[in-house]
Amino acid sequence: MDTLMTKKDLAKLTLFRELVYTHPKELSLESFSELLQISKRSTLNTIEELAHDLEIEKNFKDLEIKKNKYCYSIVNSSPMNIEYFMVSLQLHYLKNSIQFNIIYSLLTKHFDSMIQLAEYLYISTPHLYRQMADLKRFLAGFKIDIVFTETKNENNLVGSPKHLKTFYYFFYWGISQGIAWPLEDLFPIKKFNKEFKLAFSAPAHNPSKTKKLEILFLLSYLDKRNPPFTLSEDIKEIATIFKELNDVSVYSQNYLTDEDELLFINLLSRISISELDNLEEKVALYSQVESLNSPIVKHSTELTESIFTQFFPDVFISIEDRAVTFYYIFIFHIYIYYFDTDLSVLFANPVSLKRFSTKSERFKLIEHKIMHFFHSITTEYNMKVDEKYLNGYYFLIASIIDYVDPMYLKIYIQYSKHVAGVNIIKRKLFTMFGKENIVIVDDINDARIIISDCFENEKPDQILFFITEISRPEMWQNLMLLILKEKFQKSFRFPFILE
């Protein structure tokens, strides 16, 4: 998405992100200069322009960039999380970019030629040609091209119906994330809801899901000028199962009637909206698709079973864990083998193994093991994998390992001052953190944290929490902070999740 902005706006957004992610720490002019790889004078001008943008735009009136000599920080006086403003600022710069306006113009009107489009946008034709080259590269990731023709009933955006619908949805949700509806001038969303009376009242659909479904259906309606398309038999079989299990397209049936299009909406909703299906539906899906003669099902089953065999050879895997693991792999494979679009262009920081934090020697081993495993499995099952999807696979496998093996925090307790002291400490810990987060071990050598009223020379990979009196609230507060810190670190054993 950043590729659609001017270099100046992208630089300002980059500085804003850096301030947001390092808040409340101050950042120096020198660090900004190194980040943007421009001179300090140019960096100073960029900071001043960013501060001016925040000052004049009413949506950012509660934000202020504070300067302390040559260091900067951001102050948020509003009740909104500061990352909300990051998305808002990105949307602000995008809506003012020439490339966004090119796409918007192509969606709302038909143009016979580049000259006609340039005149409509009030820019020179040579400038439009330069912008068009970058825009075409961006759209190529969605298998979409821009073609000019004098045939009025044709769209200048040319691609298959599935790729056009996929682009419309991901592009507009990606730039706004529900903060604003960028197509208000083209089609007011309130008018749409009033006219079609969408029934988003199902308890299973929380506000986030509801808003995404709303956008998905609206974009399908806007795309009604494209003829209905036909799903291939193998993907139709899969989409039918999704629709039978949990039909989200029922909301759109008063204006969309083509069966294959309704199946497609159900399919697109699964790869774009998380957790539309509950655990019971995931288990049902797993049992129903197992017997299908489909390469997508075959590769998903092979990868699921291989992960359990490789990483959990001695662990009993419940049907629920197996179904959930299969579900996420299956959704990813549907995206790869059917939609086949490059969504990484929509995000500032797409998941990339190159960016993984490898400070931890332990993580380096896991990272290497995941990569080696995936190379072996693709060779064994003759899976052809496009390089652009490799990082997605690595992230997916790491997430599954994290899901199946939650990495309990092991604690050893010894307390001799009170006859019931150990049980009191144990009960308090379970009350605060739950049995699903910590394990009280009997062998002191197995523990990460030792809670003791007797000094112990702990091993390098152990932490001693020395206590004298269990009735002191301050002691419990300090112990709670220590356990929270350790549990936090342990829950992010794959450091890329922190990136």
Side-chain angles (χ1 to χ4, degrees), residues 219-230:
L219 289 171
S220 296
Y221 175 80
L222 291 174
D223 190 41
K224 67 182 184 295
R225 59 189 166 183
N226 284 318
F229 58 96
T230 304

PDB file of all heavy atoms in Angstrom, residues 219-230:
ATOM      1  N   LEU A 219     -19.187  -4.414  -1.748  1.00  0.00           N
ATOM      2  CA  LEU A 219     -18.295  -4.457  -2.909  1.00  0.00           C
ATOM      3  C   LEU A 219     -18.790  -5.461  -3.941  1.00  0.00           C
ATOM      4  O   LEU A 219     -18.614  -5.273  -5.142  1.00  0.00           O
ATOM      5  CB  LEU A 219     -16.872  -4.777  -2.467  1.00  0.00           C
ATOM      6  CG  LEU A 219     -16.185  -3.641  -1.701  1.00  0.00           C
ATOM      7  CD1 LEU A 219     -14.864  -4.104  -1.115  1.00  0.00           C
ATOM      8  CD2 LEU A 219     -15.957  -2.439  -2.595  1.00  0.00           C
ATOM      9  N   SER A 220     -19.419  -6.542  -3.479  1.00  0.00           N
ATOM     10  CA  SER A 220     -19.997  -7.503  -4.425  1.00  0.00           C
ATOM     11  C   SER A 220     -21.138  -6.851  -5.192  1.00  0.00           C
ATOM     12  O   SER A 220     -21.311  -7.075  -6.382  1.00  0.00           O
ATOM     13  CB  SER A 220     -20.521  -8.726  -3.666  1.00  0.00           C
ATOM     14  OG  SER A 220     -19.453  -9.398  -3.038  1.00  0.00           O
ATOM     15  N   TYR A 221     -21.901  -6.020  -4.499  1.00  0.00           N
ATOM     16  CA  TYR A 221     -22.995  -5.316  -5.160  1.00  0.00           C
ATOM     17  C   TYR A 221     -22.456  -4.321  -6.191  1.00  0.00           C
ATOM     18  O   TYR A 221     -22.962  -4.230  -7.309  1.00  0.00           O
ATOM     19  CB  TYR A 221     -23.840  -4.583  -4.122  1.00  0.00           C
ATOM     20  CG  TYR A 221     -24.937  -3.736  -4.744  1.00  0.00           C
ATOM     21  CD1 TYR A 221     -26.118  -4.319  -5.176  1.00  0.00           C
ATOM     22  CD2 TYR A 221     -24.753  -2.371  -4.908  1.00  0.00           C
ATOM     23  CE1 TYR A 221     -27.117  -3.549  -5.755  1.00  0.00           C
ATOM     24  CE2 TYR A 221     -25.746  -1.595  -5.490  1.00  0.00           C
ATOM     25  CZ  TYR A 221     -26.926  -2.181  -5.916  1.00  0.00           C
ATOM     26  OH  TYR A 221     -27.904  -1.427  -6.498  1.00  0.00           O
ATOM     27  N   LEU A 222     -21.406  -3.595  -5.796  1.00  0.00           N
ATOM     28  CA  LEU A 222     -20.821  -2.611  -6.718  1.00  0.00           C
ATOM     29  C   LEU A 222     -20.260  -3.280  -7.965  1.00  0.00           C
ATOM     30  O   LEU A 222     -20.187  -2.668  -9.025  1.00  0.00           O
ATOM     31  CB  LEU A 222     -19.704  -1.836  -6.005  1.00  0.00           C
ATOM     32  CG  LEU A 222     -20.140  -0.890  -4.888  1.00  0.00           C
ATOM     33  CD1 LEU A 222     -18.928  -0.310  -4.191  1.00  0.00           C
ATOM     34  CD2 LEU A 222     -21.005   0.222  -5.452  1.00  0.00           C
ATOM     35  N   ASP A 223     -19.870  -4.535  -7.819  1.00  0.00           N
ATOM     36  CA  ASP A 223     -19.263  -5.252  -8.933  1.00  0.00           C
ATOM     37  C   ASP A 223     -20.309  -5.974  -9.790  1.00  0.00           C
ATOM     38  O   ASP A 223     -19.974  -6.805 -10.609  1.00  0.00           O
ATOM     39  CB  ASP A 223     -18.244  -6.267  -8.365  1.00  0.00           C
ATOM     40  CG  ASP A 223     -17.377  -6.887  -9.447  1.00  0.00           C
ATOM     41  OD1 ASP A 223     -16.959  -6.152 -10.359  1.00  0.00           O
ATOM     42  OD2 ASP A 223     -17.142  -8.092  -9.391  1.00  0.00           O
ATOM     43  N   LYS A 224     -21.581  -5.647  -9.600  1.00  0.00           N
ATOM     44  CA  LYS A 224     -22.632  -6.378 -10.320  1.00  0.00           C
ATOM     45  C   LYS A 224     -22.597  -6.159 -11.825  1.00  0.00           C
ATOM     46  O   LYS A 224     -23.218  -6.885 -12.581  1.00  0.00           O
ATOM     47  CB  LYS A 224     -24.006  -6.014  -9.769  1.00  0.00           C
ATOM     48  CG  LYS A 224     -24.448  -4.574 -10.010  1.00  0.00           C
ATOM     49  CD  LYS A 224     -25.808  -4.342  -9.364  1.00  0.00           C
ATOM     50  CE  LYS A 224     -26.339  -2.948  -9.667  1.00  0.00           C
ATOM     51  NZ  LYS A 224     -25.532  -1.884  -9.079  1.00  0.00           N
ATOM     52  N   ARG A 225     -21.822  -5.136 -12.276  1.00  0.00           N
ATOM     53  CA  ARG A 225     -21.721  -4.913 -13.716  1.00  0.00           C
ATOM     54  C   ARG A 225     -20.940  -6.039 -14.396  1.00  0.00           C
ATOM     55  O   ARG A 225     -21.037  -6.243 -15.591  1.00  0.00           O
ATOM     56  CB  ARG A 225     -21.043  -3.577 -14.001  1.00  0.00           C
ATOM     57  CG  ARG A 225     -19.653  -3.451 -13.426  1.00  0.00           C
ATOM     58  CD  ARG A 225     -19.128  -2.040 -13.553  1.00  0.00           C
ATOM     59  NE  ARG A 225     -17.959  -1.820 -12.728  1.00  0.00           N
ATOM     60  CZ  ARG A 225     -17.340  -0.660 -12.611  1.00  0.00           C
ATOM     61  NH1 ARG A 225     -17.773   0.387 -13.280  1.00  0.00           N
ATOM     62  NH2 ARG A 225     -16.298  -0.522 -11.836  1.00  0.00           N
ATOM     63  N   ASN A 226     -20.100  -6.765 -13.595  1.00  0.00           N
ATOM     64  CA  ASN A 226     -19.397  -7.910 -14.168  1.00  0.00           C
ATOM     65  C   ASN A 226     -20.349  -9.099 -14.247  1.00  0.00           C
ATOM     66  O   ASN A 226     -21.148  -9.316 -13.332  1.00  0.00           O
ATOM     67  CB  ASN A 226     -18.181  -8.281 -13.312  1.00  0.00           C
ATOM     68  CG  ASN A 226     -17.029  -7.319 -13.530  1.00  0.00           C
ATOM     69  OD1 ASN A 226     -16.753  -6.928 -14.655  1.00  0.00           O
ATOM     70  ND2 ASN A 226     -16.382  -6.918 -12.451  1.00  0.00           N
ATOM     71  N   PRO A 227     -20.282  -9.892 -15.299  1.00  0.00           N
ATOM     72  CA  PRO A 227     -21.199 -11.033 -15.424  1.00  0.00           C
ATOM     73  C   PRO A 227     -20.907 -12.084 -14.349  1.00  0.00           C
ATOM     74  O   PRO A 227     -19.789 -12.194 -13.868  1.00  0.00           O
ATOM     75  CB  PRO A 227     -20.883 -11.575 -16.829  1.00  0.00           C
ATOM     76  CG  PRO A 227     -19.481 -11.126 -17.106  1.00  0.00           C
ATOM     77  CD  PRO A 227     -19.331  -9.812 -16.417  1.00  0.00           C
ATOM     78  N   PRO A 228     -21.935 -12.852 -13.944  1.00  0.00           N
ATOM     79  CA  PRO A 228     -21.713 -13.939 -12.989  1.00  0.00           C
ATOM     80  C   PRO A 228     -20.651 -14.895 -13.511  1.00  0.00           C
ATOM     81  O   PRO A 228     -20.532 -15.107 -14.725  1.00  0.00           O
ATOM     82  CB  PRO A 228     -23.075 -14.629 -12.919  1.00  0.00           C
ATOM     83  CG  PRO A 228     -24.049 -13.591 -13.353  1.00  0.00           C
ATOM     84  CD  PRO A 228     -23.325 -12.768 -14.379  1.00  0.00           C
ATOM     85  N   PHE A 229     -19.883 -15.449 -12.623  1.00  0.00           N
ATOM     86  CA  PHE A 229     -18.820 -16.346 -13.064  1.00  0.00           C
ATOM     87  C   PHE A 229     -19.067 -17.752 -12.534  1.00  0.00           C
ATOM     88  O   PHE A 229     -19.856 -17.952 -11.605  1.00  0.00           O
ATOM     89  CB  PHE A 229     -17.455 -15.832 -12.615  1.00  0.00           C
ATOM     90  CG  PHE A 229     -17.319 -15.657 -11.121  1.00  0.00           C
ATOM     91  CD1 PHE A 229     -16.747 -16.650 -10.342  1.00  0.00           C
ATOM     92  CD2 PHE A 229     -17.751 -14.506 -10.508  1.00  0.00           C
ATOM     93  CE1 PHE A 229     -16.620 -16.493  -8.978  1.00  0.00           C
ATOM     94  CE2 PHE A 229     -17.633 -14.334  -9.145  1.00  0.00           C
ATOM     95  CZ  PHE A 229     -17.070 -15.324  -8.376  1.00  0.00           C
ATOM     96  N   THR A 230     -18.384 -18.701 -13.141  1.00  0.00           N
ATOM     97  CA  THR A 230     -18.577 -20.107 -12.809  1.00  0.00           C
ATOM     98  C   THR A 230     -17.375 -20.632 -12.042  1.00  0.00           C
ATOM     99  O   THR A 230     -16.229 -20.454 -12.470  1.00  0.00           O
ATOM    100  CB  THR A 230     -18.771 -20.944 -14.094  1.00  0.00           C
ATOM    101  OG1 THR A 230     -19.858 -20.396 -14.838  1.00  0.00           O
ATOM    102  CG2 THR A 230     -19.039 -22.398 -13.747  1.00  0.00           C
TER     103      THR A 230
END
